[in-house]
Amino acid sequence: MSVVERVTAGFLPLLDSAVLVTAREKGFAASEGIELVLIRENSWASIRDRLAVGHFDVAHVLAPMPIAFNLGLAPLAARTVVPMALGLGGNAITVSLDLWRSMRERGASESFEPASTGAALHDVIEDRARGDGERLRFAVVHPHSGHNYELRYWLAACGINPDTDVNIVIVPPPLMADALTSGRIDGYCVGEPWNTAAIAKGGGRIATIKAAIWKSSPEKVLGVSAAWAELHPQTLSALLRAVYRAAQWCADTANREELSALLAQPAYIGAPAEWLLPALSGRIATGDGSVISAPDFFLTYAKAATFPWKSHALWFYSQMVRWGQVNPSRANDAIAHETYRPDLYRAALKSLGAALPTANSKVEGALTRETPVGSAGASLILGPDGFFDGRVFDPDKLADYLVAQTAAR
């Protein structure tokens, strides 16, 4: 097929840009008649601004960002829709070796188990407060990020107030490891390979991972200018098909070495290929010489990894409310509900025979094991999903959840 449309996409140097990079480099985009131009940026603010002013048609964005754009929480933001997720999982919380030693002395699990690591961190913070020690400083990549909300969720569930017991600052992903090793921060939550970077530099220990805090949860999504999507519906459908095929290719273990070499190039992540292999294989080096198996650490295809669940969007919205970024209202509920667009996903992928969930939302935490679920096209297995503290998020009971979360703040 000859190229009929040029699509410009912004991205950050992160592992979960893999499906976009693969769509271009392995020819999936070209086979759909698309010249996919990828432009690397170094901060989410740049992605936001260039999407808003029309430099980008689409972008690799943090899963909550388009919701924040549409709620008016970001300067310059344009109306944005999410027709596809770019994977599940992929991030972790890494702490300095000094902090990890203190946590281990207080019973932190070596196996990424969030409850015991959080309880140990709670005890460290209490001891520092009694000794007049400075607050610990943690970094996240953006206020409207899964990293921020999941770090806060973990801390709060373990009895740590994210607003008063620690300081949370913003650092771009590629600078996280250096900020930790230079002593500017005590820990951070970021996507790969920037946790493995701290391990490789001998400066950190992975305390827990996203896949343990909220199983089967999204990290990045394809953010699309709503104006562009309305003007180019056929091109958007073609792009979604290309990215879906790329996600299948990325999930094939036979392609793992090639994918890591592809992403390692300076134009993309610009980091050693061996930094990318732990997340791709699910064999995570912790930083203290051990390796832990986490097969669901990062998924590009299995478990409907690219489906834009409205329940995911509404949970992120619930955290914006919980932490005072937006007031709840019926109008805001509706904006959050309409940002993710499974209808566009289904329309684009039906012709491929893809596994298409019959529902747009699910109860997060309802599946405790891998479970066959209703789907059109191919068969589909989901789960386990949900949160480490056993709480459940039912999007049909959003108002009740908002009240309970705000009270627990």
Side-chain angles (χ1 to χ4, degrees), residues 268-347:
Y268 297 123
I269 296 179
E274 56 266 29
W275 288 10
L276 299 159
L277 287 171
L280 292 175
S281 66
R283 299 277 299 164
I284 310 300
T286 62
D288 58 7
S290 59
V291 174
I292 295 176
S293 177
D296 285 353
F297 184 89
F298 175 58
L299 301 176
T300 63
Y301 180 70
K303 302 182 179 181
T306 57
F307 188 76
W309 293 99
K310 286 182 179 286
S311 48
H312 290 166
L314 289 169
W315 187 80
F316 288 129
Y317 167 66
S318 78
Q319 301 308 291
M320 294 176 187
V321 173
R322 180 180 187 180
W323 302 113
Q325 293 177 336
V326 67
N327 293 321
S329 69
R330 288 190 177 183
N332 287 341
D333 294 358
I335 289 170
H337 186 271
E338 296 306 317
T339 297
Y340 282 28
R341 297 288 302 276
D343 59 316
L344 298 177
Y345 182 95
R346 289 194 180 91

Side-chain angles (χ1 to χ4, degrees), residues 45-385:
S46 294
I47 292 284
R48 174 200 63 206
D49 294 344
R50 298 194 69 180
L51 188 63
V53 301
H55 289 184
F56 299 149
D57 305 312
V58 305
H60 164 236
V61 297
L62 297 158
M65 283 183 82
I67 305 162
F69 296 167
N70 295 344
L71 288 170
L73 303 183
L76 283 180
R79 191 164 61 91
T80 304
V81 296
V82 175
M84 177 175 270
L86 299 180
L88 299 173
N91 77 40
I93 296 173
T94 297
V95 299
S96 70
L97 294 179
D98 282 346
L99 178 54
W100 178 248
R101 278 190 286 271
S102 296
M103 292 169 65
R104 282 291 297 139
E105 291 170 0
R106 291 160 177 81
S109 165
E110 294 186 350
S111 64
F112 298 156
E113 192 277 311
S116 74
T117 53
L121 179 61
H122 173 272
D123 291 348
V124 171
I125 290 170
E126 282 206 334
D127 289 348
R128 289 172 68 95
R130 280 193 289 268
D132 294 328
E134 293 184 359
R135 285 187 196 174
L136 294 173
R137 179 178 293 175
F138 284 82
V140 296
V141 303
H142 194 275
H144 306 133
S145 65
H147 314 79
N148 187 31
Y149 302 135
E150 288 151 18
L151 174 66
R152 285 172 172 270
Y153 189 95
W154 175 57
L155 294 174
C158 296
I160 302 166
N161 187 319
D163 290 325
T164 59
D165 293 337
V166 297
N167 291 325
I168 297 178
V169 299
I170 304 300
V171 176
L175 300 184
M176 288 286 195
D178 289 341
L180 188 74
T181 55
S182 66
R184 302 297 297 170
I185 57 176
D186 301 292
Y188 59 81
C189 185
V190 74
E192 281 291 86
W194 306 115
N195 297 282
T196 296
I199 309 311
K201 295 179 180 182
R205 207 281 186 186
I206 297 177
T208 190
I209 61 176
K210 174 184 176 75
I213 295 173
W214 181 14
K215 297 182 186 302
S216 299
S217 61
E219 173 64 26
K220 307 298 184 315
V221 296
L222 186 70
V224 180
S225 159
W228 182 86
E230 289 160 6
L231 286 173
H232 304 279
Q234 298 306 317
T235 304
L236 176 58
S237 289
L239 177 65
L240 298 186
R241 289 192 293 272
V243 174
Y244 183 82
R245 290 193 177 104
Q248 285 180 300
W249 187 91
C250 290
D252 188 337
T253 57
N255 299 325
R256 191 173 291 159
E257 297 284 344
E258 182 180 353
L259 176 59
S260 62
L262 184 63
L263 294 171
Q265 296 178 51
Y268 297 123
I269 296 179
E274 56 266 29
W275 288 10
L276 299 159
L277 287 171
L280 292 175
S281 66
R283 299 277 299 164
I284 310 300
T286 62
D288 58 7
S290 59
V291 174
I292 295 176
S293 177
D296 285 353
F297 184 89
F298 175 58
L299 301 176
T300 63
Y301 180 70
K303 302 182 179 181
T306 57
F307 188 76
W309 293 99
K310 286 182 179 286
S311 48
H312 290 166
L314 289 169
W315 187 80
F316 288 129
Y317 167 66
S318 78
Q319 301 308 291
M320 294 176 187
V321 173
R322 180 180 187 180
W323 302 113
Q325 293 177 336
V326 67
N327 293 321
S329 69
R330 288 190 177 183
N332 287 341
D333 294 358
I335 289 170
H337 186 271
E338 296 306 317
T339 297
Y340 282 28
R341 297 288 302 276
D343 59 316
L344 298 177
Y345 182 95
R346 289 194 180 91
L349 300 186
K350 184 177 180 180
S351 64
L352 299 183
L356 302 175
T358 53
N360 290 333
S361 293
K362 56 189 177 74
V363 177
E364 302 296 325
L367 300 178
T368 58
R369 62 180 64 87
E370 291 189 349
T371 305
V373 299
S375 64
S379 59
L380 178 62
I381 292 176
L382 298 179
D385 58 16

Side-chain angles (χ1 to χ4, degrees), residues 30-52:
S31 70
E32 291 285 349
I34 292 174
E35 180 190 4
L36 181 58
V37 178
L38 298 178
I39 298 179
R40 172 175 153 162
E41 288 291 341
N42 287 321
S43 76
W44 293 114
S46 294
I47 292 284
R48 174 200 63 206
D49 294 344
R50 298 194 69 180
L51 188 63

